[in-house]
Amino acid sequence: MARIRPLLRWCSLSLAALIAACGGGGGGSSDGSSPTNPATPSNPTSVALAFASPEAETVYSVGSPISLSARVTVNGADAADGTPVNFAVSPGTFSTTGTTRSGVATVAFSGTAPGRQQLSASVSVPSSGASAAATATATRILYMRPVPASLEVLVPAYFHPSSGTEWARLAAGAAANPGVKVTAIVNPNNGEFTAAEAAYTSALNAFVAAGGKVVGYVHTGYGARSLAAVKANIDAYFALYGRNLISGIFLDEMSSDASKVGGYREIYTYIKAKDADLRVIGNPGMVPDTADYATVADVLVTFEARNSTYATYDPRTTPWLYTLPNIRQSSLVHNTATCVDMVKAVMAADSSRYNAGVIYMTDLQYDPVKDIGNPWESLPSYWTALLQTVAAVNQGRLPPAC
């Protein structure tokens, strides 16, 4: 028996060496790396998920059909057809499942909530081996705006009726384009007056008879002017020119500071107490610091600057603007040099991204740095073309050639 044990030990060692030499067992490869085996716990299934559509940061109108699609890859290849992908949108209750075809799952979506929306997609792919199922998620931001109304034109008519033919041109333009709502901001003596001027009375009557609307100019000193002075100016328009001519009030030099909202709320309430149908247009000339300003004006001028700056205007940086209908947001754009530039600006304003419904473009120049020029001292040279362009856009036609 003693001579058998060494022989058994030798056979055992030789067998182990033989197995190792032939690459058997669970050891590593000849270069020391781990074998590729996606079904083992140390090499789990790899899944990736990414939105294919819509494009990030796109703006849509509520109710518009939108295609949501996401691509799924498993270990670098398209997921098997029929792989379920769950889609959801927040805020809201939308939740549905689509299945992949050629690696892409697509579902239909129609938004109902205006404002910023976050899309999400998720997928879970079972492992073919011992590892747990592999999962992946993806998100994408889009914006929804209320269904837009037709564009309107808001004219800072800061010119005296006796100084030329501008008020006659205003009336003629309104009469020739009955499908375009034209509102003029009348501004006698910077809104401070104690008597009605016959020239203004005549001009306003002609403009209103042609289908136009008039709002009275009142400056507010960015919230620093006394409420008593502001209310006195408001009263003068109705006492001296009458409700039949004055359809609302234009509050210029509106603050954008959140601390000033209370004063503007008092002014807004004061105007509405006279007649709930009076239109209050507030002009901070920029996007206010808080959405509360939307509660103290029926229309907010969220842009007043050069055309070159308008090209970079992006309300997506302030998502609450997309909770407002386009007709509650105004853009007043000066330094719009040519008719072609004007058409581009009108088309931009009408776009879902800009969401501006009450607009005005002029070729008159103003340098805000040097405070040189007056962009509101007359109508633009392309006044007729501006109205025709707005009419065409409202009707879904191409604008007339400049």
Side-chain angles (χ1 to χ4, degrees), residues 10 14-15 26 28 39 53 81 84 123 142 197 221 254 260 280 282 331 334 354 365-366 374 380 402:
W10 178 88
S14 298
L15 180 61
S53 67
D81 286 356
V123 65
L142 59 75
E197 293 186 49
M254 175 179 266
K260 303 291 185 180
V280 180
S331 295
H334 52 75
Y354 279 59
Q365 304 288 302
Y366 174 61
N374 180 0
C402 288

Side-chain angles (χ1 to χ4, degrees), residues 49-268:
L49 176 66
F51 270 98
S53 67
E55 292 186 12
E57 304 287 316
T58 307
V59 183
Y60 296 91
S61 295
V62 166
S64 298
I66 305 171
S67 176
L68 309 184
S69 63
R71 176 172 291 280
V72 184
T73 58
V74 179
N75 294 327
D78 286 345
D81 286 356
T83 300
V85 179
N86 300 315
F87 293 88
V89 179
S90 178
T93 58
F94 177 84
S95 179
T96 192
T97 300
T99 56
T100 57
R101 183 175 181 180
S102 298
V104 177
T106 301
V107 298
F109 169 64
S110 182
T112 59
R116 183 180 185 272
Q117 309 281 300
Q118 178 169 293
L119 310 178
S120 63
S122 62
V123 65
S124 179
V125 177
S127 172
S128 58
S131 60
T135 62
T137 61
T139 60
R140 177 152 289 182
I141 300 300
L142 59 75
Y143 302 87
M144 305 296 299
R145 66 166 180 165
V147 176
S150 296
L151 295 179
E152 299 182 20
V153 176
L154 176 65
V155 184
Y158 301 174
F159 33 79
H160 197 278
S162 63
S163 63
T165 61
E166 299 304 89
W167 276 95
R169 292 178 66 202
L170 262 175
N177 297 273
V180 178
K181 294 181 180 180
V182 182
T183 299
I185 308 167
V186 64
N187 186 11
N189 196 39
N190 205 35
E192 301 180 56
F193 52 91
T194 56
E197 293 186 49
Y200 270 116
T201 300
S202 176
L204 298 186
N205 272 301
F207 179 63
V208 171
K213 299 286 186 180
V214 178
V215 293
Y217 177 95
V218 176
H219 66 93
T220 65
Y222 303 101
R225 193 176 184 214
S226 75
L227 292 176
V230 170
K231 292 176 180 178
N233 288 170
I234 293 168
D235 292 343
Y237 280 106
F238 299 104
L240 300 174
Y241 288 103
R243 175 65 178 85
N244 61 316
L245 295 180
I246 305 300
S247 297
I249 297 295
F250 181 82
L251 299 173
D252 198 21
E253 297 179 349
M254 175 179 266
S255 175
S256 62
D257 190 330
S259 67
K260 303 291 185 180
V261 172
Y264 287 102
R265 191 176 308 283
E266 183 172 339
I267 296 169
Y268 181 78

Side-chain angles (χ1 to χ4, degrees), residues 255-259 261 284 286-293 318 320:
S255 175
S256 62
D257 190 330
S259 67
V261 172
M286 60 187 295
V287 178
D289 294 343
T290 170
D292 288 343
Y293 274 93
T318 315
W320 64 261

